[in-house]
């Protein structure tokens, strides 16, 4: 299965609004027992999450996975820091890229692939306010053109 394909359980739509995504990487997530059950139920939120390289390890910070209802005392902390599974070469490359001004690692979506939870991480360069306005204008113009074509075809 190609990178980024699978049942998307959570998508970070705000990432494409706030960042120019230059490259994407697929990473596994180190999870505790009840976390995968909550992810499979779709009870995950990546809106405020971000990734960071810390002491040679990739970490996913602020990812919210809701507690599992039948988890009782074995439940997990919903916003704990989770380790990401990447190849050493990818981590070394990301260390150099994220130290440049304005670059960040942004989780784009979480999905299940071959029974394992994966996260698609994008290397993003922050957008300025005028870039965001330009994107909104472009999107609105495309919407207007599509609407005009649809009306013309009737």
């Amino acid at each position: 299965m190609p990178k980024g394909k699978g049942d998307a359980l959570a998508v970070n739509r705000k990432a494409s609004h706030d960042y120019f995504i230059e490259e994407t990487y697929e990473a596994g997530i180190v999870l505790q027992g009840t976390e995968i059950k909550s992810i499979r139920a779709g009870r995950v939120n990546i809106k405020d999450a971000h990734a960071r390289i810390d002491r040679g390890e990739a970490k996913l910070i602020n990812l919210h996975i809701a507690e599992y209802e039948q988890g009782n005392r074995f439940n997990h902390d919903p916003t704990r820091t989770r380790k990401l599974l990447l190849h050493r070469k990818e981590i070394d490359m990301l260390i150099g890229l994220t130290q440049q001004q304005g670059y960040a690692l942004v989780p784009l979506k979480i999905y299940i692939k071959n029974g394992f939870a994966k996260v698609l991480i994008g290397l993003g360069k922050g957008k300025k306010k005028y870039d965001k306005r330009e994107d909104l204008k472009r999107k609105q113009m495309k919407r207007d053109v599509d609407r005009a074509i649809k009306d013309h075809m009737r």
Side-chain angles (χ1 to χ4, degrees), residues 11-22:
V11 179
N12 191 355
R13 289 188 176 93
K14 196 162 174 65
S16 63
H17 182 260
D18 292 339
Y19 298 95
F20 293 113
I21 304 300
E22 296 183 358

Side-chain angles (χ1 to χ4, degrees), residues 2-104:
K3 177 173 70 171
K5 300 295 182 196
D7 294 337
L9 301 172
V11 179
N12 191 355
R13 289 188 176 93
K14 196 162 174 65
S16 63
H17 182 260
D18 292 339
Y19 298 95
F20 293 113
I21 304 300
E22 296 183 358
E23 290 184 53
T24 59
Y25 301 93
E26 181 180 73
I29 313 171
V30 177
L31 299 172
Q32 291 180 348
T34 57
E35 289 177 326
I36 188 64
K37 294 181 179 191
S38 286
I39 288 176
R40 286 178 197 259
R43 298 175 45 101
V44 60
N45 184 359
I46 61 172
K47 187 173 121 181
D48 298 326
H50 65 281
R52 184 178 295 152
I53 308 292
D54 184 33
R55 291 187 228 138
E57 293 182 343
K59 304 222 173 167
L60 193 57
I61 300 165
N62 230 8
L63 174 71
H64 186 275
I65 300 175
E67 289 185 347
Y68 186 59
E69 285 126 12
Q70 287 84 32
N72 58 39
R73 65 184 179 145
F74 297 109
N75 256 327
H76 57 276
D77 177 29
T79 57
R80 74 178 183 89
T81 300
R82 293 165 180 89
K83 184 177 174 181
L84 294 176
L85 303 173
L86 288 165
H87 291 282
R88 172 58 48 199
K89 287 182 181 178
E90 290 175 331
I91 292 174
D92 292 340
M93 188 170 54
L94 287 173
I95 288 173
L97 292 172
T98 56
Q99 288 179 349
Q100 296 176 17
Q101 187 71 26
Y103 281 91

Side-chain angles (χ1 to χ4, degrees), residues 60 75 92 131 134 136 151-152:
L60 193 57
N75 256 327
D92 292 340
D131 291 329
E134 186 65 34
L136 287 174
D151 290 342
H152 182 71

